[in-house]
Amino acid sequence: METRTEISSLGEFGLIKRINEGVKNMLPDTIKGIGDDAAVFDIGEEYGLLTSDMLLEGVHFDLTFFPLKHLGYKAIAINVSDIAAMNGVPRQVIVNLALSNRFSVEAIDELYSGIKAACSDFNVDLVGGDTSSSRSGLLISVSVFGKIKKDKITYRNTAKPNDLLCVTGDLGGAYLGLQLLEREKQVFLANPEMQPELEGKDYVVQRQLRPEARMDVIYELEEAGVIPTSMIDVSDGLASDLLHICAQSQVGAVVVEERLPIDEQTYLAASELNIGPVTAALNGGEDYELLFTVSQTSYELIKNNPKISVIGYITDNKEEIVLHTKADSRVPITAQGWT
C-alpha cells in the first residue's frame, strides 16, 4: 500500500528542503539555485537575478477589503523586494494572471493600473506574461529579472560573527494592518450598515495593502560604499528570516528588544487588538523590510541613516539565536514559517 505523507507535516521550510534535495544544477552559468531570495546566474560582466512569487485569492489576499489597484502594486513590490535582498537592481517583470469570469475588463484595468504604477516607481519594464481562465478566483504570478555587479552580490549564507544586525524601516505594521482589516470584515458581514473603524490606522493598513520594496536603501548603501555581508527581505517575519540567515551562515545572533523599530501606530493597533507589539514585530511577516548584516567597520557609514536600525549582532554560537529582553533575560527566537 502506498504511503501518504501530509504536506502539513513538513511545513513550508521542510517542503522546500525536500524539493531541493533532488535538484542538481548542471549548467556552469548557474551560480545559485534554490535557497536564497533570488536565483543567480552568470551573464558576462554581471550576475543576472531571477525571482518569482504567486498571490492567490483566499490565501494571500481577500478582495473584500483589498483594492485591485493596491494588489497590482503589491504583486510587483514583493518581487522587487527579493531582488533588493540580493543587493541587486530590478530590470524587467513578467506578470501571469488566472481569472474567473466574475472579473470585468474594468477590474483588470484597475489591477494593471497598480502594476504599472509599481513598474514606474521601481523603474522596471513590464515585458510580458500569460493569461488563463480560473475556476477559483484570481491568481497573480510575477517574475522579476534583475542585475548586480559580481563583487556586490549579497547572499543569506555569508554573515560573520561580530557583524552588526540591521533592519530597514519598522516592523509588525503589516500584520496588525491585516488583523484590523479582518476584524472590520467580520463586523461588516455581521452588519453591512456598520462603517469601518479605521480612522487613525492608515499607516498599518497601508503597510498591509501597499508595501514598498526598499530599493531606496539599496541605492543609499551603494552611495555610502557599504556592501552588506548578508541580507534577506522580511516576508515571513523577522524571526523566521533571521533563522534563515543564521542556519545558512552557521552563526548565532542576539537581537536587542529595545532596539526593534516599531511605529507608534503599530503600538496603538497592537494594544487595541491585545497583541504584543514585539510578537508582531518578530513573527508578523509581510513587512518587506530588509534584514541585513554589516561588518563593524561599516557602522560609521550607516549610523546616521534614519531608515536603518542596528538591532543586534551575530555570534559564533549557532545554537543560540536569542532576544535580549528589556528585563535583561535572553529568550530563544523561534519561528515555524507559513503553513
Side-chain angles (χ1 to χ4, degrees):
M1 184 178 161
E2 225 176 274
T3 57
R4 175 186 164 90
T5 307
E6 298 300 330
I7 292 173
S8 58
S9 69
L10 294 178
E12 182 196 14
F13 302 148
L15 180 62
I16 292 168
K17 185 180 176 190
R18 189 179 176 98
I19 291 168
N20 196 22
E21 280 168 2
V23 175
K24 284 189 171 63
N25 298 323
M26 295 176 288
L27 302 175
D29 50 349
T30 304
I31 305 300
K32 180 81 175 178
I34 297 169
D36 217 303
D37 286 275
V40 183
F41 46 98
D42 198 326
I43 55 171
E45 290 184 10
E46 296 176 298
Y47 283 144
L49 303 168
L50 189 60
T51 186
S52 187
D53 247 314
M54 278 194 296
L55 292 173
L56 283 77
E57 185 177 356
V59 178
H60 300 105
F61 60 90
D62 185 334
L63 289 177
T64 309
F65 53 71
F66 215 125
L68 285 166
K69 185 173 182 178
H70 288 348
L71 180 62
Y73 193 98
K74 182 173 182 174
I76 301 298
I78 65 176
N79 281 275
V80 168
S81 184
D82 283 333
I83 300 295
M86 308 299 290
N87 205 30
V89 176
R91 303 295 294 165
Q92 287 85 19
V93 302
I94 287 174
V95 177
N96 301 315
L97 282 186
L99 305 154
S100 68
N101 60 6
R102 79 174 207 273
F103 292 94
S104 64
V105 171
E106 290 77 15
I108 302 312
D109 286 345
E110 187 71 2
L111 179 72
Y112 268 89
S113 71
I115 289 171
K116 289 169 185 173
C119 288
S120 174
D121 282 359
F122 300 120
N123 195 27
V124 295
D125 284 337
L126 174 61
V127 295
D130 187 25
T131 54
S132 171
S133 61
S134 162
R135 292 182 181 175
S136 56
L138 177 63
L139 180 150
I140 309 171
S141 174
V142 175
S143 297
V144 181
F145 170 75
K147 288 182 178 181
I148 181 63
K149 290 175 184 170
K150 290 183 178 179
D151 59 348
K152 294 189 173 172
I153 184 92
T154 304
Y155 297 106
R156 296 177 180 180
N157 64 354
T158 43
K160 303 280 191 297
N162 302 317
D163 281 352
L164 300 174
L165 186 63
C166 308
V167 73
T168 62
D170 57 82
L171 300 168
Y175 173 73
L176 290 165
L178 179 61
Q179 301 312 305
L180 287 168
L181 289 164
E182 292 280 8
R183 183 189 71 180
E184 295 307 312
K185 177 189 173 182
Q186 294 309 316
V187 171
F188 173 78
L189 291 175
N191 181 2
E193 299 297 313
M194 290 289 285
Q195 291 299 305
E197 289 184 23
L198 293 171
E199 195 176 323
K201 302 178 175 74
D202 50 330
Y203 180 69
V204 290
V205 169
Q206 180 195 319
R207 294 287 283 163
Q208 170 59 219
L209 297 181
R210 198 179 181 276
E212 293 286 343
R214 298 314 302 259
M215 284 307 303
D216 55 334
V217 177
I218 294 300
Y219 295 130
E220 286 169 26
L221 288 172
E222 183 177 27
E223 209 172 285
V226 175
I227 301 173
T229 52
S230 69
M231 186 152 51
I232 191 171
D233 78 329
V234 182
S235 53
D236 289 344
L238 179 73
S240 277
D241 295 314
L242 175 60
L243 289 173
H244 281 315
I245 284 180
C246 290
Q248 293 187 28
S249 300
Q250 295 288 291
V251 294
V254 176
V255 174
V256 181
E257 180 185 350
E258 62 190 20
R259 287 183 167 269
L260 289 172
I262 301 173
D263 186 81
E264 187 181 352
Q265 262 203 37
T266 303
Y267 272 113
L268 292 171
S271 174
E272 187 178 320
L273 292 163
N274 203 23
I275 294 170
V278 172
T279 301
L282 285 174
N283 298 305
E286 290 205 290
D287 289 309
Y288 298 103
E289 297 293 349
L290 295 172
L291 177 67
F292 62 98
T293 55
V294 295
S295 63
Q296 291 192 26
T297 53
S298 294
Y299 176 69
E300 291 296 319
L301 302 172
I302 63 166
K303 69 176 185 182
N304 294 323
N305 190 324
K307 299 174 183 176
I308 297 171
S309 301
V310 179
I311 60 167
Y313 55 92
I314 299 297
T315 70
D316 59 5
N317 182 0
K318 64 182 181 182
E319 304 303 321
E320 191 178 56
I321 301 155
V322 295
L323 179 71
H324 191 118
T325 69
K326 291 175 183 172
D328 209 27
S329 62
R330 292 195 168 193
V331 179
I333 290 174
T334 57
Q336 281 112 30
W338 297 102
T339 52

